[in-house]
Amino acid sequence: KGPVPQGQALAWQVGGRRWMAAGARICPSCGAAHDSFRFHCTSCGALMGDDYSGVTHFEVLGLEPAFALDLAEVDKAYKDLQRKLHPDRHANASEDQRALVDAHSSRVNEAVSTLRSPLRRAGYWMELHGVRVLEEDQRMEDMETMMEVMEVSEEIAAASSQARIDELTRENKEKVAAM
């Protein structure tokens, strides 16, 4: 047999030898190839390995990558995965399989806690797009500027009208332009 047309399969046999596309994830139980991360094999239902390299929090939960998320969708994906990965469903499995379930559950929890939090999601989104954020070498060293930023933040929080916020915005633009 020759290769199966692209998009159809990630593994094929040629002359008795098995070939796989780069990045294919192979089921340890039945050998089925998957083009993306899965917790369970879609062919036989067995647990897949815990190689999360290159797997985003969105992929873990089966969600389309987007900064603006419907938290109900995040929660639904979380509950569905937790039900499938619940320890009681794997009580009779081997110790290795139970450890794998624990690793998968931990990865799901990490993904959900990041995507549920707007601040953590923003940082994660920026990192996915190549922008470093919240790293040690990005600390503000100029205490005077830091105090001014904090004061302006407090003024914005205390602003009681859009007109006051617009005024603060104009003032800050003038300060930045003067630098």
Side-chain angles (χ1 to χ4, degrees):
K1 292 181 181 179
V4 178
Q6 188 173 11
Q8 301 271 325
L10 294 171
W12 55 89
Q13 286 193 317
V14 178
R17 192 163 174 200
R18 185 172 173 87
W19 297 87
M20 286 175 274
R25 296 176 188 272
I26 307 303
C27 174
S29 182
C30 73
H34 299 278
D35 63 344
S36 60
F37 176 80
R38 305 241 187 273
F39 287 110
H40 293 90
C41 175
T42 57
S43 294
C44 71
L47 278 171
M48 296 288 285
D50 60 353
D51 177 10
Y52 308 116
S53 58
V55 179
T56 69
H57 293 328
F58 299 100
E59 290 170 302
V60 165
L61 297 175
L63 301 172
E64 287 296 318
F67 175 72
L69 290 176
D70 179 353
L71 293 182
E73 284 183 38
V74 173
D75 288 339
K76 181 184 180 318
Y78 173 68
K79 288 175 185 171
D80 288 348
L81 286 170
Q82 285 300 76
R83 195 172 23 261
K84 290 176 184 174
L85 297 170
H86 195 278
D88 290 348
R89 289 185 68 124
H90 303 275
N92 295 326
S94 69
E95 187 175 331
D96 288 345
Q97 290 290 298
R98 289 193 310 269
L100 188 55
V101 167
D102 286 344
H104 286 337
S105 290
S106 178
R107 184 66 175 88
V108 168
N109 290 335
E110 176 188 348
V112 166
S113 68
T114 298
L115 297 182
R116 276 185 182 159
S117 164
L119 182 60
R120 291 183 66 197
R121 183 177 351 121
Y124 182 68
W125 185 255
M126 298 292 284
E127 288 173 18
L128 284 178
H129 290 87
V131 179
R132 293 176 45 234
V133 292
L134 304 175
E135 293 186 20
E136 192 65 31
D137 67 334
Q138 295 175 312
R139 286 181 164 227
M140 188 179 289
E141 299 294 331
D142 180 359
M143 291 308 241
E144 186 177 327
T145 302
M146 187 166 60
M147 289 302 294
E148 187 170 347
V149 168
M150 291 173 62
E151 288 170 7
V152 170
S153 294
E154 289 173 5
E155 287 182 53
I156 291 171
S160 59
S161 69
Q162 184 63 47
R164 178 65 181 137
I165 292 173
D166 292 343
E167 180 183 345
L168 290 168
T169 301
R170 182 186 49 75
E171 289 172 6
N172 284 316
K173 282 182 181 179
E174 288 173 3
K175 288 178 188 176
V176 169
M179 295 178 112

